[in-house]
Amino acid sequence: SSGINAEWPLRPGDEENGDVNDTAYPHPTGEIWHVASSPHHRQLISTCHSHVEGEVSLVTGATVWRLEGGPVVGDHGTPFLEEVGQLDAHTDQVKMTAWGPEGYENSLCSLGDSSLVHWGLDSAAVRQHGMCDLPKRSLASAIRWNPHSNGHLVGVCSDQHVRLYDLRTMKSTTVIENAHNQTVRDLDFNPNRQYYVVTCGDDCNTNFWDTRKPSEALLSFKNHSHWVWNVRYNYRDQLVLSGGSDSKVILLHTPSVASEPLHLEDEEERETENVEDEKDQLKEGVLEEYDKHEDSVYAVAWSTADPWLFASLSNDGRLVFNKVSKEIKFSIIL
């Protein structure tokens, strides 16, 4: 795509109908390969992009933009992207960017095929804070900021491994070797448990880890029939979404590695437990499979306004919104 489609909250009266309002922002630097919006500044986004020069040379890059004009920013003028700064410290192709967590609203990282750069934003420009090379002959695939590390740690997937980098030293502090048998495609940090992380990969697995004990996964699921591209924790961290090349979105229930694990009764209590209560209790594993896509699902995301609402995006450009069923919702909160 050579433009940005921006979405903003449902207007009063639209929620019941499920209406989504959007507007398009022309992207002046060619095709977009990745886009990330700041969770703190609604007008700031970053894109990774490419264009052809002289019909022979492919030029890649990454840029931070400010959305100007259009209803997204409360303006009825013509929508356009104003360049804030280029993320041009990489010598390789920039694959994706990640914005900093709360407390680090003006920070972001960019990930190249074999490099990681930490950036800071001020009112006038984007400035480089640090840079490091990833291990030789490795190929990076994903980056995620750790929300528990005072803004100092990011997780990076490369090949079959996951590494945590300290942005103060730009050095690796923890490695999960062979987190997957094939390429690791994505990771996410548990929002409520400091050392817990989930990963997914080309081996069709979704794995859960404690970074203090990285030698063995705490939990592993193989629910997709092809590569798993994206995985995301809900704020209620027993709920985890994944999307894959099998066109499915899967909702997992993982109370054994959540901040509020299932209460484990002793043997005598289990024997006298009533059967109806047992039926009502959600089991660990797959809660729902969503099959509204006809192509590979490359992205899933939870709403920051409604914890039971999520979206998924497939290769054919189809954006689907779903809600966790009331039965599952009430089983968790009651």
Side-chain angles (χ1 to χ4, degrees):
S1 173
S2 57
I4 295 288
N5 284 329
E7 286 143 20
W8 62 97
L10 300 176
R11 297 174 303 190
D14 284 348
E15 187 170 0
E16 290 184 5
N17 299 323
D19 294 337
V20 177
N21 304 299
D22 66 77
T23 192
Y25 287 78
H27 190 261
T29 52
E31 293 183 333
I32 301 166
W33 294 98
H34 182 265
V35 60
S37 59
S38 168
H40 316 290
H41 306 289
R42 67 179 300 181
Q43 286 183 258
L44 291 180
I45 64 168
S46 53
T47 63
C48 302
H49 45 79
S50 67
H51 66 278
V52 176
E53 282 188 356
E55 299 184 356
V56 290
S57 299
L58 181 67
V59 179
T60 64
T63 307
V64 176
W65 309 91
R66 181 178 290 107
L67 301 176
E68 297 289 355
V72 170
V73 296
D75 185 355
H76 296 291
T78 302
F80 69 96
L81 297 177
E82 179 184 358
E83 182 178 312
V84 176
Q86 296 186 27
L87 308 180
D88 54 6
H90 296 269
T91 57
D92 52 357
Q93 181 176 352
V94 186
K95 307 193 78 166
M96 61 183 60
T97 59
W99 290 85
E102 187 174 349
Y104 285 77
E105 291 86 353
N106 295 320
S107 293
L108 75 157
C109 285
S110 54
L111 182 68
D113 282 331
S114 58
S115 58
L116 170 67
V117 182
H118 180 207
W119 304 88
L121 280 74
D122 59 30
S123 58
V126 180
R127 306 186 189 281
Q128 181 182 333
H129 285 340
M131 180 176 181
C132 68
D133 292 326
L134 303 182
K136 292 182 179 179
R137 294 181 295 278
S138 69
L139 191 63
S141 52
I143 182 172
R144 194 75 172 162
W145 217 295
N146 186 336
H148 303 292
S149 59
N150 294 320
H152 298 317
L153 288 179
V154 294
V156 173
C157 303
S158 58
D159 300 324
Q160 292 87 28
H161 318 298
V162 174
R163 292 177 172 84
L164 303 188
Y165 286 87
D166 189 326
L167 297 176
R168 295 167 295 184
T169 62
M170 299 305 295
K171 293 182 178 179
S172 174
T173 60
T174 303
V175 181
I176 304 177
E177 296 278 1
N178 297 309
H180 289 263
N181 295 329
Q182 300 177 46
T183 300
V184 186
R185 290 294 172 185
D186 197 21
L187 81 162
D188 195 21
F189 291 94
N190 187 310
N192 304 320
R193 299 195 75 175
Q194 181 174 356
Y195 301 103
Y196 284 59
V197 63
V198 60
T199 61
C200 63
D202 286 1
D203 57 2
C204 308
N205 281 8
T206 304
N207 295 339
F208 294 80
W209 306 87
D210 181 339
T211 56
R212 297 166 297 182
K213 304 172 184 178
S215 59
E216 185 177 359
L218 300 171
L219 201 60
S220 184
F221 295 95
K222 195 167 188 172
N223 305 119
H224 288 273
S225 58
H226 208 263
W227 303 343
V228 190
W229 282 92
N230 208 211
V231 63
R232 287 293 178 266
Y233 272 108
N234 187 291
Y235 179 74
R236 293 183 178 273
D237 55 306
Q238 66 265 55
L239 296 180
V240 177
L241 277 177
S242 61
S245 295
D246 55 3
S247 307
K248 288 183 181 179
V249 174
I250 289 179
L251 177 63
L252 283 174
H253 184 235
T254 59
S256 67
V257 290
S259 56
E260 297 179 2
L262 285 172
H263 174 64
L264 298 178
E265 301 94 347
D266 60 32
E267 191 65 36
E268 187 174 331
E269 287 177 316
R270 280 199 296 268
E271 288 176 0
T272 59
E273 187 180 44
N274 132 2
V275 175
E276 198 59 42
D277 287 344
E278 192 173 287
K279 287 181 180 178
D280 290 341
Q281 189 180 63
L282 294 176
K283 302 299 183 182
E284 191 152 69
V286 176
L287 288 180
E288 296 277 3
E289 289 189 7
Y290 305 89
D291 57 359
K292 299 298 183 183
H293 291 281
E294 298 177 357
D295 208 338
S296 297
V297 178
Y298 286 131
V300 293
W302 292 98
S303 167
T304 56
D306 180 347
W308 309 105
L309 176 68
F310 61 91
S312 52
L313 178 67
S314 53
N315 187 53
D316 56 6
R318 189 175 192 187
L319 179 65
V320 177
F321 293 91
N322 274 298
K323 268 198 168 185
V324 176
S325 69
K326 290 182 179 179
E327 292 77 15
I328 293 174
K329 174 182 175 179
F330 292 139
S331 294
I332 289 174
I333 65 178
L334 297 181

